[in-house]
Amino acid sequence: MVSNWMKRLKMMRISKYAIIICLLLSLVFAGFTIYGANTGNFNIYVAGSDVSVAVYMKDDKSDLGSHLSVPTLEKMYDNTFSYLPADIVSGQGTPERHLGTKNDEYNRYIAFSLCLVNQSERAIDYTVNLSVVGTREGATGGKVISAMRVALIKGEEPLNTAKIYAAPESTPENEQFLNEALKEYGEYPTPVNYFISEEQLFSEDYNELPAGGEEKFTVIIWLEGCDVDCIDNLFGGKIRMRLDFLGK
C-alpha cells in the first residue's frame, strides 16, 4: 500500500495547482473594531488606550503604521518544508531582504518578515493570531486548508526552529501516507501544531515587549505536496487570511 502511495506522491509532485492565496495582514489593538473593505484591506478605528504598537516591513521604517498589505501569488504549486530556503529569515543572501515580502519566484510558497514595535511608555504583552476570513472550495470540492502549512518564526532564529501549523489528517491511513512521504522528501524539524479550527489557525501569546522594543516575525505558507489532500481537487480553490497583533 505504501508503494502505491509513493507512486501517487510522485504524480502529485508534478501536478499543477491554481490555488489563490490572498493574505490580508492587519494590526489589531485589543478592544478596537475592524471593518473589512471591498478592496481587501482593513480599516482600523482606534479608541482611547495606553497601548500603542505598530508594524513595518521596510528596513527604513517608511511604512511604519497600524496596517500592512502583503503581496500574494496568483497561483501556488505544491512544496514541502525541506525545499524552503535555509536563509529565508535572514534575507536569502541579500541584506535588503531582511524584512519584507519573500515570495517564491516559482510560486511554491508565500513568505514575509515584519517587525512589531512597542510605541507605548510601558512594556506590553501581545498575542499573534492567524485567522481565515474567507474560503472557496476547489472546482471538485477540495479545501485549501486541508493541505496548507504555515510556519511562524520569531526573531532571527533559523528556519529549523519554526513552529509549523497544519490541519490534522482525517484518517490514520492519511497520517501514515504523510509520514512515509516526508521520510523521502525531508521530515519537519519540529512537531506539527494543529490548527485551532478552520476559522482560527493559531493564537500565540508573548510577554514583556519593553517600551520602544521591537520583535521580528517571519511567516511562510505553502501547500504540502506530501499531504494526501494535495491533489487536483484543490484546483480553483481560494483562501483569505488575516494576521492580527493584539497588544495589551
Side-chain angles (χ1 to χ4, degrees):
M1 180 180 244
V2 171
S3 176
N4 291 335
W5 283 350
M6 297 311 296
K7 290 179 181 178
R8 182 181 178 190
L9 174 65
K10 295 182 187 301
M11 293 177 64
M12 286 193 290
R13 297 299 306 169
I14 62 174
S15 294
K16 294 184 178 180
Y17 300 96
I19 309 303
I20 301 176
I21 306 289
C22 299
L23 179 65
L24 305 178
L25 172 64
S26 60
L27 180 69
V28 185
F29 298 84
F32 295 177
T33 303
I34 306 303
Y35 296 89
N38 291 332
T39 61
N41 295 324
F42 282 81
N43 297 315
I44 300 179
Y45 298 87
V46 183
S49 173
D50 66 342
V51 172
S52 177
V53 289
V55 287
Y56 67 91
M57 290 179 62
K58 295 182 179 179
D59 288 319
D60 63 3
K61 301 185 182 182
S62 59
D63 59 342
L64 180 69
S66 59
H67 173 264
L68 293 171
S69 293
V70 180
T72 57
L73 302 175
E74 292 185 1
K75 58 185 176 181
M76 181 179 285
Y77 302 119
D78 58 331
N79 195 39
T80 193
F81 185 90
S82 63
Y83 290 8
L84 297 173
D87 59 351
I88 195 169
V89 174
S90 60
Q92 295 178 260
T94 55
E96 62 270 19
R97 299 204 72 183
H98 170 70
L99 295 175
T101 303
K102 302 174 180 180
N103 294 344
D104 181 49
E105 61 180 318
Y106 301 108
N107 297 325
R108 296 170 299 182
Y109 58 83
I110 292 169
F112 60 91
S113 294
L114 59 82
C115 272
L116 174 70
V117 183
N118 179 14
Q119 298 179 317
S120 309
E121 296 182 357
R122 62 170 176 86
I124 65 167
D125 300 332
Y126 61 96
T127 300
V128 183
N129 292 324
L130 181 64
S131 56
V132 175
V133 297
T135 61
R136 186 181 75 188
E137 292 184 354
T140 55
K143 292 184 177 182
V144 174
I145 194 173
S146 63
M148 190 176 73
R149 301 294 188 272
V150 180
L152 178 68
I153 305 168
K154 182 172 176 282
E156 296 293 344
E157 295 299 315
L159 177 63
N160 62 12
T161 67
K163 294 195 72 170
I164 301 172
Y165 305 86
E169 298 302 311
S170 58
T171 67
E173 290 76 17
N174 287 1
E175 183 81 26
Q176 183 183 355
F177 168 78
L178 174 64
N179 292 336
E180 291 295 329
L182 288 175
K183 287 179 181 177
E184 177 174 341
Y185 288 97
E187 296 178 295
Y188 297 158
T190 58
V192 169
N193 302 273
Y194 291 137
F195 294 148
I196 297 172
S197 68
E198 291 191 359
E199 292 75 36
Q200 185 173 24
L201 304 189
F202 66 71
S203 181
E204 298 289 346
D205 294 321
Y206 299 95
N207 299 318
E208 293 296 318
L209 182 62
E214 301 186 4
E215 192 62 77
K216 177 181 175 182
F217 285 92
T218 299
V219 178
I220 310 167
I221 300 168
W222 73 96
L223 294 176
E224 179 53 70
C226 293
D227 195 301
V228 70
D229 291 316
C230 194
I231 54 178
D232 285 343
N233 70 356
L234 300 183
F235 186 89
K238 293 183 180 180
I239 189 167
R240 297 173 62 228
M241 291 173 284
R242 190 178 82 200
L243 184 67
D244 298 328
F245 292 84
L246 307 173
K248 50 192 175 184

mmCIF file with all atom_site columns, all heavy atoms in Angstrom, residues 223-242:
data_model
loop_
_atom_site.group_PDB
_atom_site.id
_atom_site.type_symbol
_atom_site.label_atom_id
_atom_site.label_alt_id
_atom_site.label_comp_id
_atom_site.label_asym_id
_atom_site.label_entity_id
_atom_site.label_seq_id
_atom_site.pdbx_PDB_ins_code
_atom_site.Cartn_x
_atom_site.Cartn_y
_atom_site.Cartn_z
_atom_site.occupancy
_atom_site.B_iso_or_equiv
_atom_site.pdbx_formal_charge
_atom_site.auth_seq_id
_atom_site.auth_comp_id
_atom_site.auth_asym_id
_atom_site.auth_atom_id
_atom_site.pdbx_PDB_model_num
ATOM 1   N N   . LEU A 1 223 ? 1.638   24.817 0.210   1.00 0.00 ? 223 LEU A N   1
ATOM 2   C CA  . LEU A 1 223 ? 0.794   23.629 0.067   1.00 0.00 ? 223 LEU A CA  1
ATOM 3   C C   . LEU A 1 223 ? 1.699   22.411 0.154   1.00 0.00 ? 223 LEU A C   1
ATOM 4   O O   . LEU A 1 223 ? 2.642   22.282 -0.627  1.00 0.00 ? 223 LEU A O   1
ATOM 5   C CB  . LEU A 1 223 ? 0.062   23.640 -1.274  1.00 0.00 ? 223 LEU A CB  1
ATOM 6   C CG  . LEU A 1 223 ? -0.974  24.760 -1.460  1.00 0.00 ? 223 LEU A CG  1
ATOM 7   C CD1 . LEU A 1 223 ? -1.549  24.699 -2.873  1.00 0.00 ? 223 LEU A CD1 1
ATOM 8   C CD2 . LEU A 1 223 ? -2.079  24.648 -0.428  1.00 0.00 ? 223 LEU A CD2 1
ATOM 9   N N   . GLU A 1 224 ? 1.417   21.534 1.095   1.00 0.00 ? 224 GLU A N   1
ATOM 10  C CA  . GLU A 1 224 ? 2.290   20.394 1.362   1.00 0.00 ? 224 GLU A CA  1
ATOM 11  C C   . GLU A 1 224 ? 2.062   19.286 0.338   1.00 0.00 ? 224 GLU A C   1
ATOM 12  O O   . GLU A 1 224 ? 1.052   18.589 0.351   1.00 0.00 ? 224 GLU A O   1
ATOM 13  C CB  . GLU A 1 224 ? 2.053   19.870 2.776   1.00 0.00 ? 224 GLU A CB  1
ATOM 14  C CG  . GLU A 1 224 ? 2.891   18.669 3.151   1.00 0.00 ? 224 GLU A CG  1
ATOM 15  C CD  . GLU A 1 224 ? 4.375   18.906 2.913   1.00 0.00 ? 224 GLU A CD  1
ATOM 16  O OE1 . GLU A 1 224 ? 4.980   19.717 3.648   1.00 0.00 ? 224 GLU A OE1 1
ATOM 17  O OE2 . GLU A 1 224 ? 4.908   18.264 1.984   1.00 0.00 ? 224 GLU A OE2 1
ATOM 18  N N   . GLY A 1 225 ? 3.045   19.129 -0.573  1.00 0.00 ? 225 GLY A N   1
ATOM 19  C CA  . GLY A 1 225 ? 2.936   18.119 -1.620  1.00 0.00 ? 225 GLY A CA  1
ATOM 20  C C   . GLY A 1 225 ? 2.972   16.701 -1.103  1.00 0.00 ? 225 GLY A C   1
ATOM 21  O O   . GLY A 1 225 ? 2.606   15.766 -1.828  1.00 0.00 ? 225 GLY A O   1
ATOM 22  N N   . CYS A 1 226 ? 3.423   16.502 0.130   1.00 0.00 ? 226 CYS A N   1
ATOM 23  C CA  . CYS A 1 226 ? 3.441   15.161 0.724   1.00 0.00 ? 226 CYS A CA  1
ATOM 24  C C   . CYS A 1 226 ? 2.120   14.809 1.395   1.00 0.00 ? 226 CYS A C   1
ATOM 25  O O   . CYS A 1 226 ? 1.967   13.694 1.912   1.00 0.00 ? 226 CYS A O   1
ATOM 26  C CB  . CYS A 1 226 ? 4.579   15.058 1.754   1.00 0.00 ? 226 CYS A CB  1
ATOM 27  S SG  . CYS A 1 226 ? 6.223   15.140 1.019   1.00 0.00 ? 226 CYS A SG  1
ATOM 28  N N   . ASP A 1 227 ? 1.187   15.738 1.416   1.00 0.00 ? 227 ASP A N   1
ATOM 29  C CA  . ASP A 1 227 ? -0.109  15.508 2.051   1.00 0.00 ? 227 ASP A CA  1
ATOM 30  C C   . ASP A 1 227 ? -1.042  14.812 1.065   1.00 0.00 ? 227 ASP A C   1
ATOM 31  O O   . ASP A 1 227 ? -1.116  15.188 -0.106  1.00 0.00 ? 227 ASP A O   1
ATOM 32  C CB  . ASP A 1 227 ? -0.716  16.840 2.504   1.00 0.00 ? 227 ASP A CB  1
ATOM 33  C CG  . ASP A 1 227 ? -1.857  16.665 3.480   1.00 0.00 ? 227 ASP A CG  1
ATOM 34  O OD1 . ASP A 1 227 ? -2.857  16.005 3.120   1.00 0.00 ? 227 ASP A OD1 1
ATOM 35  O OD2 . ASP A 1 227 ? -1.767  17.174 4.609   1.00 0.00 ? 227 ASP A OD2 1
ATOM 36  N N   . VAL A 1 228 ? -1.760  13.820 1.537   1.00 0.00 ? 228 VAL A N   1
ATOM 37  C CA  . VAL A 1 228 ? -2.674  13.072 0.679   1.00 0.00 ? 228 VAL A CA  1
ATOM 38  C C   . VAL A 1 228 ? -3.754  13.974 0.090   1.00 0.00 ? 228 VAL A C   1
ATOM 39  O O   . VAL A 1 228 ? -4.326  13.667 -0.973  1.00 0.00 ? 228 VAL A O   1
ATOM 40  C CB  . VAL A 1 228 ? -3.307  11.900 1.465   1.00 0.00 ? 228 VAL A CB  1
ATOM 41  C CG1 . VAL A 1 228 ? -4.277  12.393 2.503   1.00 0.00 ? 228 VAL A CG1 1
ATOM 42  C CG2 . VAL A 1 228 ? -3.962  10.900 0.525   1.00 0.00 ? 228 VAL A CG2 1
ATOM 43  N N   . ASP A 1 229 ? -4.061  15.097 0.748   1.00 0.00 ? 229 ASP A N   1
ATOM 44  C CA  . ASP A 1 229 ? -5.093  16.017 0.259   1.00 0.00 ? 229 ASP A CA  1
ATOM 45  C C   . ASP A 1 229 ? -4.574  17.005 -0.775  1.00 0.00 ? 229 ASP A C   1
ATOM 46  O O   . ASP A 1 229 ? -5.349  17.810 -1.301  1.00 0.00 ? 229 ASP A O   1
ATOM 47  C CB  . ASP A 1 229 ? -5.707  16.787 1.430   1.00 0.00 ? 229 ASP A CB  1
ATOM 48  C CG  . ASP A 1 229 ? -6.531  15.897 2.340   1.00 0.00 ? 229 ASP A CG  1
ATOM 49  O OD1 . ASP A 1 229 ? -7.298  15.078 1.808   1.00 0.00 ? 229 ASP A OD1 1
ATOM 50  O OD2 . ASP A 1 229 ? -6.405  16.008 3.564   1.00 0.00 ? 229 ASP A OD2 1
ATOM 51  N N   . CYS A 1 230 ? -3.286  16.973 -1.068  1.00 0.00 ? 230 CYS A N   1
ATOM 52  C CA  . CYS A 1 230 ? -2.716  17.899 -2.055  1.00 0.00 ? 230 CYS A CA  1
ATOM 53  C C   . CYS A 1 230 ? -2.861  17.280 -3.441  1.00 0.00 ? 230 CYS A C   1
ATOM 54  O O   . CYS A 1 230 ? -1.901  16.785 -4.039  1.00 0.00 ? 230 CYS A O   1
ATOM 55  C CB  . CYS A 1 230 ? -1.248  18.185 -1.736  1.00 0.00 ? 230 CYS A CB  1
ATOM 56  S SG  . CYS A 1 230 ? -0.577  19.598 -2.637  1.00 0.00 ? 230 CYS A SG  1
ATOM 57  N N   . ILE A 1 231 ? -4.073  17.308 -3.956  1.00 0.00 ? 231 ILE A N   1
ATOM 58  C CA  . ILE A 1 231 ? -4.390  16.715 -5.250  1.00 0.00 ? 231 ILE A CA  1
ATOM 59  C C   . ILE A 1 231 ? -5.206  17.710 -6.071  1.00 0.00 ? 231 ILE A C   1
ATOM 60  O O   . ILE A 1 231 ? -5.507  18.812 -5.614  1.00 0.00 ? 231 ILE A O   1
ATOM 61  C CB  . ILE A 1 231 ? -5.151  15.381 -5.083  1.00 0.00 ? 231 ILE A CB  1
ATOM 62  C CG1 . ILE A 1 231 ? -6.385  15.575 -4.195  1.00 0.00 ? 231 ILE A CG1 1
ATOM 63  C CG2 . ILE A 1 231 ? -4.230  14.310 -4.498  1.00 0.00 ? 231 ILE A CG2 1
ATOM 64  C CD1 . ILE A 1 231 ? -7.225  14.308 -4.025  1.00 0.00 ? 231 ILE A CD1 1
ATOM 65  N N   . ASP A 1 232 ? -5.578  17.313 -7.268  1.00 0.00 ? 232 ASP A N   1
ATOM 66  C CA  . ASP A 1 232 ? -6.161  18.252 -8.228  1.00 0.00 ? 232 ASP A CA  1
ATOM 67  C C   . ASP A 1 232 ? -7.531  18.782 -7.839  1.00 0.00 ? 232 ASP A C   1
ATOM 68  O O   . ASP A 1 232 ? -8.024  19.714 -8.473  1.00 0.00 ? 232 ASP A O   1
ATOM 69  C CB  . ASP A 1 232 ? -6.240  17.607 -9.611  1.00 0.00 ? 232 ASP A CB  1
ATOM 70  C CG  . ASP A 1 232 ? -4.878  17.530 -10.293 1.00 0.00 ? 232 ASP A CG  1
ATOM 71  O OD1 . ASP A 1 232 ? -3.967  18.241 -9.855  1.00 0.00 ? 232 ASP A OD1 1
ATOM 72  O OD2 . ASP A 1 232 ? -4.736  16.762 -11.268 1.00 0.00 ? 232 ASP A OD2 1
ATOM 73  N N   . ASN A 1 233 ? -8.168  18.217 -6.808  1.00 0.00 ? 233 ASN A N   1
ATOM 74  C CA  . ASN A 1 233 ? -9.468  18.783 -6.424  1.00 0.00 ? 233 ASN A CA  1
ATOM 75  C C   . ASN A 1 233 ? -9.314  20.130 -5.718  1.00 0.00 ? 233 ASN A C   1
ATOM 76  O O   . ASN A 1 233 ? -10.300 20.793 -5.419  1.00 0.00 ? 233 ASN A O   1
ATOM 77  C CB  . ASN A 1 233 ? -10.284 17.810 -5.573  1.00 0.00 ? 233 ASN A CB  1
ATOM 78  C CG  . ASN A 1 233 ? -9.724  17.597 -4.176  1.00 0.00 ? 233 ASN A CG  1
ATOM 79  O OD1 . ASN A 1 233 ? -8.661  18.116 -3.824  1.00 0.00 ? 233 ASN A OD1 1
ATOM 80  N ND2 . ASN A 1 233 ? -10.428 16.821 -3.382  1.00 0.00 ? 233 ASN A ND2 1
ATOM 81  N N   . LEU A 1 234 ? -8.056  20.555 -5.468  1.00 0.00 ? 234 LEU A N   1
ATOM 82  C CA  . LEU A 1 234 ? -7.814  21.905 -4.953  1.00 0.00 ? 234 LEU A CA  1
ATOM 83  C C   . LEU A 1 234 ? -7.847  22.963 -6.052  1.00 0.00 ? 234 LEU A C   1
ATOM 84  O O   . LEU A 1 234 ? -7.887  24.157 -5.752  1.00 0.00 ? 234 LEU A O   1
ATOM 85  C CB  . LEU A 1 234 ? -6.444  21.972 -4.265  1.00 0.00 ? 234 LEU A CB  1
ATOM 86  C CG  . LEU A 1 234 ? -6.202  21.050 -3.066  1.00 0.00 ? 234 LEU A CG  1
ATOM 87  C CD1 . LEU A 1 234 ? -4.821  21.317 -2.486  1.00 0.00 ? 234 LEU A CD1 1
ATOM 88  C CD2 . LEU A 1 234 ? -7.262  21.229 -2.004  1.00 0.00 ? 234 LEU A CD2 1
ATOM 89  N N   . PHE A 1 235 ? -7.825  22.524 -7.297  1.00 0.00 ? 235 PHE A N   1
ATOM 90  C CA  . PHE A 1 235 ? -7.754  23.461 -8.416  1.00 0.00 ? 235 PHE A CA  1
ATOM 91  C C   . PHE A 1 235 ? -8.882  24.478 -8.340  1.00 0.00 ? 235 PHE A C   1
ATOM 92  O O   . PHE A 1 235 ? -10.052 24.126 -8.258  1.00 0.00 ? 235 PHE A O   1
ATOM 93  C CB  . PHE A 1 235 ? -7.836  22.692 -9.737  1.00 0.00 ? 235 PHE A CB  1
ATOM 94  C CG  . PHE A 1 235 ? -7.638  23.556 -10.954 1.00 0.00 ? 235 PHE A CG  1
ATOM 95  C CD1 . PHE A 1 235 ? -6.375  23.772 -11.464 1.00 0.00 ? 235 PHE A CD1 1
ATOM 96  C CD2 . PHE A 1 235 ? -8.719  24.146 -11.579 1.00 0.00 ? 235 PHE A CD2 1
ATOM 97  C CE1 . PHE A 1 235 ? -6.188  24.571 -12.583 1.00 0.00 ? 235 PHE A CE1 1
ATOM 98  C CE2 . PHE A 1 235 ? -8.548  24.951 -12.696 1.00 0.00 ? 235 PHE A CE2 1
ATOM 99  C CZ  . PHE A 1 235 ? -7.268  25.161 -13.198 1.00 0.00 ? 235 PHE A CZ  1
ATOM 100 N N   . GLY A 1 236 ? -8.513  25.762 -8.352  1.00 0.00 ? 236 GLY A N   1
ATOM 101 C CA  . GLY A 1 236 ? -9.502  26.833 -8.307  1.00 0.00 ? 236 GLY A CA  1
ATOM 102 C C   . GLY A 1 236 ? -9.894  27.250 -6.910  1.00 0.00 ? 236 GLY A C   1
ATOM 103 O O   . GLY A 1 236 ? -10.691 28.178 -6.741  1.00 0.00 ? 236 GLY A O   1
ATOM 104 N N   . GLY A 1 237 ? -9.351  26.588 -5.894  1.00 0.00 ? 237 GLY A N   1
ATOM 105 C CA  . GLY A 1 237 ? -9.699  26.957 -4.527  1.00 0.00 ? 237 GLY A CA  1
ATOM 106 C C   . GLY A 1 237 ? -9.057  28.258 -4.093  1.00 0.00 ? 237 GLY A C   1
ATOM 107 O O   . GLY A 1 237 ? -8.064  28.705 -4.670  1.00 0.00 ? 237 GLY A O   1
ATOM 108 N N   . LYS A 1 238 ? -9.643  28.880 -3.092  1.00 0.00 ? 238 LYS A N   1
ATOM 109 C CA  . LYS A 1 238 ? -9.123  30.148 -2.569  1.00 0.00 ? 238 LYS A CA  1
ATOM 110 C C   . LYS A 1 238 ? -9.177  30.142 -1.050  1.00 0.00 ? 238 LYS A C   1
ATOM 111 O O   . LYS A 1 238 ? -10.025 29.470 -0.446  1.00 0.00 ? 238 LYS A O   1
ATOM 112 C CB  . LYS A 1 238 ? -9.947  31.340 -3.070  1.00 0.00 ? 238 LYS A CB  1
ATOM 113 C CG  . LYS A 1 238 ? -9.858  31.606 -4.556  1.00 0.00 ? 238 LYS A CG  1
ATOM 114 C CD  . LYS A 1 238 ? -10.660 32.859 -4.919  1.00 0.00 ? 238 LYS A CD  1
ATOM 115 C CE  . LYS A 1 238 ? -10.600 33.147 -6.412  1.00 0.00 ? 238 LYS A CE  1
ATOM 116 N NZ  . LYS A 1 238 ? -11.371 34.369 -6.752  1.00 0.00 ? 238 LYS A NZ  1
ATOM 117 N N   . ILE A 1 239 ? -8.292  30.913 -0.450  1.00 0.00 ? 239 ILE A N   1
ATOM 118 C CA  . ILE A 1 239 ? -8.358  31.155 0.991   1.00 0.00 ? 239 ILE A CA  1
ATOM 119 C C   . ILE A 1 239 ? -7.863  32.563 1.260   1.00 0.00 ? 239 ILE A C   1
ATOM 120 O O   . ILE A 1 239 ? -6.905  33.013 0.640   1.00 0.00 ? 239 ILE A O   1
ATOM 121 C CB  . ILE A 1 239 ? -7.547  30.099 1.779   1.00 0.00 ? 239 ILE A CB  1
ATOM 122 C CG1 . ILE A 1 239 ? -7.797  30.237 3.281   1.00 0.00 ? 239 ILE A CG1 1
ATOM 123 C CG2 . ILE A 1 239 ? -6.066  30.184 1.451   1.00 0.00 ? 239 ILE A CG2 1
ATOM 124 C CD1 . ILE A 1 239 ? -7.280  29.048 4.088   1.00 0.00 ? 239 ILE A CD1 1
ATOM 125 N N   . ARG A 1 240 ? -8.547  33.271 2.136   1.00 0.00 ? 240 ARG A N   1
ATOM 126 C CA  . ARG A 1 240 ? -8.151  34.610 2.548   1.00 0.00 ? 240 ARG A CA  1
ATOM 127 C C   . ARG A 1 240 ? -7.909  34.585 4.050   1.00 0.00 ? 240 ARG A C   1
ATOM 128 O O   . ARG A 1 240 ? -8.718  34.054 4.811   1.00 0.00 ? 240 ARG A O   1
ATOM 129 C CB  . ARG A 1 240 ? -9.228  35.642 2.204   1.00 0.00 ? 240 ARG A CB  1
ATOM 130 C CG  . ARG A 1 240 ? -9.496  35.783 0.719   1.00 0.00 ? 240 ARG A CG  1
ATOM 131 C CD  . ARG A 1 240 ? -10.683 36.697 0.440   1.00 0.00 ? 240 ARG A CD  1
ATOM 132 N NE  . ARG A 1 240 ? -10.438 38.043 0.921   1.00 0.00 ? 240 ARG A NE  1
ATOM 133 C CZ  . ARG A 1 240 ? -11.310 38.735 1.648   1.00 0.00 ? 240 ARG A CZ  1
ATOM 134 N NH1 . ARG A 1 240 ? -12.456 38.184 2.017   1.00 0.00 ? 240 ARG A NH1 1
ATOM 135 N NH2 . ARG A 1 240 ? -11.027 39.951 2.018   1.00 0.00 ? 240 ARG A NH2 1
ATOM 136 N N   . MET A 1 241 ? -6.769  35.153 4.464   1.00 0.00 ? 241 MET A N   1
ATOM 137 C CA  . MET A 1 241 ? -6.385  35.095 5.869   1.00 0.00 ? 241 MET A CA  1
ATOM 138 C C   . MET A 1 241 ? -6.011  36.475 6.386   1.00 0.00 ? 241 MET A C   1
ATOM 139 O O   . MET A 1 241 ? -5.733  37.390 5.602   1.00 0.00 ? 241 MET A O   1
ATOM 140 C CB  . MET A 1 241 ? -5.200  34.139 6.044   1.00 0.00 ? 241 MET A CB  1
ATOM 141 C CG  . MET A 1 241 ? -5.552  32.694 5.800   1.00 0.00 ? 241 MET A CG  1
ATOM 142 S SD  . MET A 1 241 ? -4.092  31.621 5.822   1.00 0.00 ? 241 MET A SD  1
ATOM 143 C CE  . MET A 1 241 ? -3.395  31.995 4.224   1.00 0.00 ? 241 MET A CE  1
ATOM 144 N N   . ARG A 1 242 ? -6.004  36.591 7.708   1.00 0.00 ? 242 ARG A N   1
ATOM 145 C CA  . ARG A 1 242 ? -5.645  37.847 8.362   1.00 0.00 ? 242 ARG A CA  1
ATOM 146 C C   . ARG A 1 242 ? -4.749  37.546 9.550   1.00 0.00 ? 242 ARG A C   1
ATOM 147 O O   . ARG A 1 242 ? -5.025  36.651 10.350  1.00 0.00 ? 242 ARG A O   1
ATOM 148 C CB  . ARG A 1 242 ? -6.905  38.558 8.842   1.00 0.00 ? 242 ARG A CB  1
ATOM 149 C CG  . ARG A 1 242 ? -6.653  39.990 9.317   1.00 0.00 ? 242 ARG A CG  1
ATOM 150 C CD  . ARG A 1 242 ? -7.940  40.656 9.721   1.00 0.00 ? 242 ARG A CD  1
ATOM 151 N NE  . ARG A 1 242 ? -8.324  40.285 11.073  1.00 0.00 ? 242 ARG A NE  1
ATOM 152 C CZ  . ARG A 1 242 ? -9.551  40.395 11.571  1.00 0.00 ? 242 ARG A CZ  1
ATOM 153 N NH1 . ARG A 1 242 ? -10.527 40.829 10.790  1.00 0.00 ? 242 ARG A NH1 1
ATOM 154 N NH2 . ARG A 1 242 ? -9.814  40.080 12.803  1.00 0.00 ? 242 ARG A NH2 1
#
